[in-house]
Amino acid sequence: MTARISYDEVEVGTELPVRSFPVTRADLVRYAGASGDFNPIHWNEKFAKEVGLPDVIAHGMFTMAEAARVVTDWAGDPGAVAEYGVRFTRPVVVPNDDEGAVIEVGGKVAAKDDERRTVRVDLVVKSAGQKVLGMSRAVVRLA
């Protein structure tokens, strides 16, 4: 599989489609099983509050992965992502109700490297109206 976006058709300022990802406590349990991260702050409300959190929080890597989906879906090939990094700035609080939380992700091409035929995509990742990931950037190799 190769990137479906052509380097030549992308300009600095090109915006990626904004996506919203719902997160429930059930999603966190499934992620814990897949990742092996069973830290009780991700499933035990009492424990989370005892350590100073407002409630159960999503795994940082879960949040990071959901944000990356915007880039991989846009590029059309997860293998096109050459680099990806974030700073965790605020947790995604996931209430114990039918709605849970929502992670909102938008992105924009911030730079192009003609020699390597890569673009840097800067992401804005929010939940409950607050930025949850900072310096969220991906370098994507395009055809």
Side-chain angles (χ1 to χ4, degrees), residues 31-141:
Y31 184 82
S35 69
D37 182 352
F38 292 100
N39 187 321
I41 63 173
H42 303 305
W43 57 269
N44 185 316
E45 186 173 329
K46 181 178 181 280
F47 183 85
K49 289 181 176 181
E50 284 175 355
V51 298
L53 295 168
D55 207 332
V56 165
I57 63 170
H59 302 75
M61 296 302 284
F62 176 89
T63 304
M64 187 178 175
E66 292 291 60
R69 286 175 58 188
V70 170
V71 178
T72 59
D73 288 353
W74 172 74
D77 175 12
V81 177
E83 298 173 29
Y84 179 51
V86 306
R87 287 206 175 117
F88 300 106
T89 57
R90 187 174 308 258
V92 174
V93 177
V94 182
N96 190 20
D97 59 21
D98 293 335
E99 296 178 24
V102 176
I103 300 169
E104 300 162 342
V105 184
K108 184 184 291 190
V109 174
K112 290 182 74 170
D113 182 334
D114 291 337
E115 186 175 315
R116 294 175 43 202
R117 295 188 65 81
T118 60
V119 297
R120 189 186 83 219
V121 176
D122 291 352
L123 298 169
V124 176
V125 185
K126 296 181 177 184
S127 183
Q130 297 187 342
K131 196 172 185 181
V132 296
L133 296 179
M135 300 295 291
S136 185
R137 295 179 172 169
V139 175
V140 183
R141 188 167 289 109

